[in-house]
Amino acid sequence: MLKYTIKKILSMIPMILIITFIIYGLLELTPGDPISYLMDPESLARLSDAQIEEMREAYGLNGPFVVRYFNWLFRLLQGDFGYSISSGVPVIDIIKTGLPATLELAVASLIISTILGSILGVVSAIYKGTIGDNVLTVFGMIGVSIPQFFFGIVAILVFALNLEWLPVGGRTDPSVTGFFDRLEYIVLPSLVMGLSMTAGVMRYARSSMLDTMNKEYIKTARSKGLAEWRVNLLHGFRVSLTPVVVLIGFRLPTLVAGSVVIETVFQWPGIGNAFSTAVRAQNYNLVMMLALIFVVMTLFASTLVDIVTAAIDPRVKLEN
Amino acid sequence: MKNKETVISVKNLKTFFYSDGRCNPAVNGVSFDVKSGKTLCVVGESGCGKSVTASSIMQLLPNNARIEEGEIVYKTGDSRGDIHIEKLDRNGKEMRSLRGKDIAMIFQDPMTALNPVYTVGWQIEEMIRNHENVTKEEARKRTLKLLADMGIPDHEKRIDQYPHEFSGGMRQRAMIAMAMSCNPKVLIADEPTTALDVTIQAQIFELMEELKEKHNTAILMITHDMGVVSEMADEVAVMYMGNIIESGTAKEVLGSPKHPYTEALLRSIPILGRGKGQDLNPIRGVTPDPFDRPSGCQFEPRCDYATKECSNRMPDEVNLGKTHMVRCIKYQEVSKNE
């Protein structure tokens, strides 16, 4: 187990290098010049070519991109993450404030969607074909097809503006306020994000459960005279868990990177938002750092899925 | 001398399947007795209703199937008296207390009949603890003994292994260990050796034979293999399209078949040692569509003896002697061929 984890982490290193190199190359290929985002077009037009060249030099934007990539890499290894080109703020500060907020939201909605999704999926599989199952299926379809931003806006309208139960958006600083005071801020965004993901988990859990319940060993379990709940949960649900775990595990990185919409709607100060602006401004230092986080997280999630799968399914061996 | 009395008596059992508003009378009036210390083999081709008969006794039918008529009486021989299984709630407490405890079942494919995520020991202990009020340690001790009794070598280690670490034959032994764990009066075996190779098959039969002798267990064996029948059966019931068309002792049915179908079945078996040049005699035609059955005798369209009269109605049971029963109006002609 330990040996496997170490091996897996070591194998991540070349993958991280390759992926970040590709991202750097893609940034290079995008049209436009980061300098043009630094000042308004009028002042930019007044600058001479020599002055612009000087600025590019100062921001480290000159030279072949391969060289610049390795420069970035070496500085990274020395613990120097650089400064945001557009704001001048150290990249590390942006990450320090944004990442916890994003992770908080991701974990909350992951918990909501996992618990709700698997319970509803299993229930609708057990009561397959009944009205309850059909209602859940319709809700699942709606959940998958309604865009998050719309769902979010409706939620704000109802729960924040009309009922005034919860704040419209924002997040308070953890160092300033207590846990329970902050709780009300995360309820809406995490529910909106969690519920829209619940639909997917539910459909997956349902089909996995149905598949399992058709297996011969379920008949064996019944032939032993076991109570239905034991047959359903201990023999059915336990086995159908594996594919659901895989799905949830691979959702983790998507959650971190893909919460741009929710973060915008709820003015949540996370890194999803920062990432989308940074890409548009060709803000190399910030984009590369965030990309690195996403890559590490994705690889980490896949390792985690492997380990958890091996833990819950004895047929899976980690050594291979 | 152990008593060979009837433990399960099935009378005129009718189990129908419903799908898309159509009805398939999969088991259409079947009667037989399962006696303790004896093996009854129900033999027939795929789809003849033999597995459904077994599932009906266990009330393990799929949701679209229903017992329409007839009775399944389980004679407990104790204070519970005679239990009418067909009247019990499918997954009710009473039915569940019978399943596994009084009537246990083993299945066709031991590869898929054990839950892959639990150890073999856990699954057997679960059965014991479900029916008897014993401690974990006691259940484990009994499981170890069972595994040893079933001839599983290295059982101290095997008990904590998962099904995928067992070979097919060992898995079936584990299944039998589980089925026998609460000393059931009846063991239903639904094609227990179909998925195993022949040498393993023989070992499993030996084991079942041994258990039958030792515990006076009644065995209801479902099979399509005439070889299995001749090896295992004390009594035989031949099923075709939801009816038992011939039954009797193994000697009677295999030795002097009276029904054209039984006769044709026995004739269609290739004989070992006769070489590849031998003539095979398959039964002509195909089994009819279960939703569109022949009006009279179900075998009539494929039967060599068929006359007009045969398509009128299903022939009644004719008793020849004490145990031999046949449902054919031309049975006298069949016997002439011997």
Side-chain angles (χ1 to χ4, degrees), chain A residues 54-228:
Chain A
E54 211 173 292
M55 278 182 79
R56 298 179 61 87
E57 193 65 50
Y59 282 107
L61 294 168
N62 274 339
F65 94 96
V66 181
V67 175
R68 278 188 286 130
Y69 170 75
F70 282 105
N71 278 339
W72 170 79
L73 197 64
F74 283 126
R75 275 190 279 119
L76 183 78
L77 291 177
Q78 288 157 10
D80 174 11
F81 301 125
Y83 295 85
S84 163
I85 298 180
S86 39
S87 62
V89 179
V91 166
I92 189 76
D93 287 350
I94 298 177
I95 307 267
K96 258 188 201 156
T97 54
L99 193 60
T102 297
L103 282 180
E104 199 175 279
L105 194 56
V107 169
S109 49
L110 199 67
I111 292 173
I112 292 172
S113 63
T114 304
I115 295 176
L116 218 56
S118 9
I119 291 176
L120 291 179
V122 167
V123 167
S124 72
I126 293 172
Y127 298 100
K128 186 193 161 205
T130 60
I131 301 167
D133 174 36
N134 291 334
V135 169
L136 282 175
T137 309
V138 171
F139 270 110
M141 297 280 239
I142 295 172
V144 172
S145 41
I146 289 186
Q148 282 186 350
F149 76 88
F150 180 75
F151 191 18
I153 289 167
V154 171
I156 289 176
L157 190 71
V158 175
F159 296 104
L161 298 178
N162 287 347
L163 295 170
E164 290 182 19
W165 286 353
L166 296 159
V168 174
R171 174 181 184 256
T172 52
D173 201 307
S175 57
V176 181
T177 44
F179 175 75
F180 287 103
D181 292 326
R182 290 167 50 226
L183 207 59
E184 58 175 358
Y185 288 91
I186 201 172
V187 171
L188 265 192
S190 63
L191 268 183
V192 168
M193 208 157 142
L195 285 179
S196 61
M197 276 173 46
T198 300
V201 177
M202 184 181 91
R203 294 175 64 90
Y204 219 72
R206 180 180 182 269
S207 66
S208 172
M209 182 74 179
L210 281 180
D211 186 47
T212 310
M213 292 310 282
N214 275 328
K215 292 276 164 62
E216 190 83 1
Y217 49 77
I218 296 298
K219 204 175 172 189
T220 308
R222 289 218 171 89
S223 82
K224 286 157 87 173
L226 302 177
E228 267 307 280

Side-chain angles (χ1 to χ4, degrees), chain B residues 20 37 46-47 56 63 86 89 98 108 135 145 158 183 188 209 213 221 230 239-240 257-258 315 322 324 330:
Chain B
D20 302 326
S46 320
S56 299
N63 286 330
E86 84 281 357
D89 186 16
L98 289 184
Q108 190 178 125
T135 61
K145 183 162 185 309
R158 287 291 192 171
N183 284 320
I188 300 177
E209 201 69 26
E213 295 298 323
M221 171 98 93
S230 65
M239 269 186 93
Y240 186 76
K258 294 286 186 262
K322 249 179 159 180
H324 203 167
K330 310 290 277 183

Side-chain angles (χ1 to χ4, degrees), chain A residues 200-273:
Chain A
V201 177
M202 184 181 91
R203 294 175 64 90
Y204 219 72
R206 180 180 182 269
S207 66
S208 172
M209 182 74 179
L210 281 180
D211 186 47
T212 310
M213 292 310 282
N214 275 328
K215 292 276 164 62
E216 190 83 1
Y217 49 77
I218 296 298
K219 204 175 172 189
T220 308
R222 289 218 171 89
S223 82
K224 286 157 87 173
L226 302 177
E228 267 307 280
W229 70 265
R230 243 188 122 90
V231 175
N232 284 327
L233 296 182
L234 258 58
H235 287 266
F237 180 57
R238 173 71 172 72
V239 182
S240 60
L241 211 58
T242 317
V244 178
V245 163
V246 173
L247 174 85
I248 293 166
F250 283 111
R251 281 265 171 97
L252 188 68
T254 338
L255 266 182
V256 176
S259 52
V260 183
V261 175
I262 295 289
E263 286 183 5
T264 312
V265 171
F266 290 96
Q267 300 151 50
W268 192 260
I271 52 169
N273 228 333

